[in-house]
Amino acid sequence: MTVRAVEVPELWMPHPLRVNPYLAGLRAETETWAREMGMLHGEGGRAARHGDGIWTRSQFHAMTVDQLTAWCLPDASPADLRLNHRFNIWALAWDDYFAHEFKRTSDLPGALAFTARLHDFLRPEPGARLPYPENAVERGIADLQQQFFPPRLAHWRREFNRALAKYIDAGVTELANSLAGRVPSLIEYAPFRRESFAAHTAPYSVELSTRARIPEEIRDSAAVRGLLDAFMDYMGLANDLASYEREVHEEHDVNNLVVVIGESLGLPLHDAVPASVHLVNSRLRDFEYLRTHEIPLLVRQSGLTPDARAELDAWLRGACGFLSGLHAWYTGAPRYVPADHTVPEQRPGA
């Protein structure tokens, strides 16, 4: 991986890539939902009638969202894999639409109005009446709101929408920072990046894939909170390295770990990059230490039942697979790497 002309040391990933066995079926229908929502230009879909396409067909397939989903959720059923795939498409659609419509044009008032309308679609009440969607992003979130909350995950209804609200609000904050030339401080950046990456939705995705939860008896413990923070930090901070070129040099964004570390510590680019890699790897090591040392100790002290322990083990295995899948996507997807880069071997995993 490179950041501009600076070679980036390899990000550490101790977990092997596992691939969902239903990837082929997902690939066969990968653009169906995006076309129905009007996210693709032309070809007779909604975008041709509404004029709100976000990607060309080739741009959409180059993102390999099907691989991202199958790599991150190797244990998901076909139905759960399909649902998370649509969410991943929507999150990328929001990101690219927001960047094109508001970041590239420095349109903060437009971003505020767009975000305010999206909030009206984040209604956790079952059967809530939503506004009529006016563009592909609104159409996608309106459709997903009807699918997001299967009965077994009803506890996530409010929390998941709260995470989505943080995600879309963070886009406005990022734009305001860039327009003001305000680089976030290193101390504030990591928790903010959890919001701007939608990392707070990731535990839901792991639950969706594994059908397992972190047991309630230990969910609010310091060890579990620390594990979840490290889990979420890796996602967004590693993404900053993968997307540095696009964000900083194309979108003129100041909300990037490399920029933040360089500004906070007074480092030039060739020193800020390895410092950023070190921080990302450190957060993954924190996750691993908590997973292998602190969590087992907590389990013994809390007296979890065998069933609760098995559920926790399944969730943790799913979380490791999620991080491994993201790492593979960051280092192999055309969205982040040159076209001649070798994509990681896809090994179906059980």
Side-chain angles (χ1 to χ4, degrees), residues 164-231:
L164 287 181
K166 292 178 179 179
Y167 177 51
I168 62 177
D169 285 345
V172 173
T173 302
E174 286 184 333
L175 177 55
N177 285 343
S178 294
L179 292 177
R182 178 189 178 274
V183 179
S185 72
L186 185 55
I187 293 175
E188 70 179 294
Y189 187 65
F192 173 71
R193 191 66 178 113
R194 295 170 204 156
E195 298 178 356
S196 67
F197 188 71
H200 289 281
T201 66
Y204 171 88
S205 295
V206 174
E207 287 189 23
L208 195 67
S209 173
T210 62
R211 303 196 171 210
R213 294 187 70 192
I214 297 174
E216 190 170 351
E217 299 93 318
I218 64 171
R219 199 175 304 139
D220 293 328
S221 66
V224 169
R225 290 198 306 269
L227 178 111
L228 288 174
D229 285 349
F231 173 63

Side-chain angles (χ1 to χ4, degrees), residues 10-286:
E10 286 294 322
L11 288 173
W12 179 58
M13 177 47 63
H15 303 290
L17 176 66
R18 296 189 297 127
V19 181
N20 192 290
Y22 301 109
L23 171 59
L26 192 66
R27 178 175 290 132
E29 61 178 40
T30 187
E31 72 178 61
T32 302
W33 185 77
R35 187 189 297 114
E36 290 175 352
M37 295 302 105
M39 295 173 181
L40 304 185
H41 291 294
E43 298 194 12
R46 282 183 179 270
R49 299 194 297 273
H50 292 270
D52 59 357
I54 296 170
W55 306 294
T56 65
R57 187 170 181 269
S58 61
Q59 287 171 333
F60 174 76
H61 283 283
M63 293 190 298
T64 60
V65 190
D66 52 342
Q67 287 182 336
L68 166 66
T69 310
W71 290 350
C72 286
L73 304 179
D75 304 308
S77 69
D80 291 339
L81 190 72
R82 186 179 302 113
L83 175 57
N84 202 265
H85 180 243
R86 292 179 178 184
F87 172 68
N88 287 338
I89 292 172
W90 179 84
L92 289 167
W94 174 89
D95 188 43
D96 286 354
Y97 182 89
F98 194 92
H100 183 270
E101 295 295 323
F102 308 116
K103 287 185 176 180
R104 294 180 189 272
T105 60
S106 301
D107 183 6
L108 184 57
L112 287 165
F114 171 69
T115 301
R117 270 192 56 85
L118 276 184
H119 273 279
D120 292 337
F121 289 88
L122 304 181
R123 300 286 301 279
E125 309 86 19
R129 186 171 182 176
L130 305 180
Y132 182 80
E134 296 181 351
N135 54 58
V137 176
E138 292 181 355
R139 198 172 298 117
I141 196 61
D143 186 74
L144 286 172
Q145 285 291 308
Q146 312 305 315
Q147 308 175 46
F148 267 151
F149 310 110
R152 74 178 188 277
L153 294 174
H155 61 281
W156 267 99
R157 181 176 293 277
R158 193 167 300 276
E159 289 89 339
F160 192 79
N161 270 334
R162 186 178 295 122
L164 287 181
K166 292 178 179 179
Y167 177 51
I168 62 177
D169 285 345
V172 173
T173 302
E174 286 184 333
L175 177 55
N177 285 343
S178 294
L179 292 177
R182 178 189 178 274
V183 179
S185 72
L186 185 55
I187 293 175
E188 70 179 294
Y189 187 65
F192 173 71
R193 191 66 178 113
R194 295 170 204 156
E195 298 178 356
S196 67
F197 188 71
H200 289 281
T201 66
Y204 171 88
S205 295
V206 174
E207 287 189 23
L208 195 67
S209 173
T210 62
R211 303 196 171 210
R213 294 187 70 192
I214 297 174
E216 190 170 351
E217 299 93 318
I218 64 171
R219 199 175 304 139
D220 293 328
S221 66
V224 169
R225 290 198 306 269
L227 178 111
L228 288 174
D229 285 349
F231 173 63
M232 293 187 289
D233 283 347
Y234 178 86
M235 302 173 199
L237 299 180
N239 179 267
D240 280 353
L241 292 165
S243 58
Y244 174 90
E245 174 70 20
R246 176 169 53 87
E247 291 180 352
V248 176
H249 292 281
E250 295 179 18
E251 299 174 7
H252 308 292
D253 199 340
V254 299
N255 305 277
N256 183 282
L257 180 64
V258 177
V259 177
V260 168
I261 283 186
E263 182 75 12
S264 296
L265 302 181
L267 299 177
L269 179 62
H270 70 271
D271 291 328
V273 170
S276 300
V277 173
H278 177 73
L279 178 58
V280 173
N281 287 341
S282 293
R283 292 307 280 147
L284 185 54
R285 289 191 175 92
D286 291 338

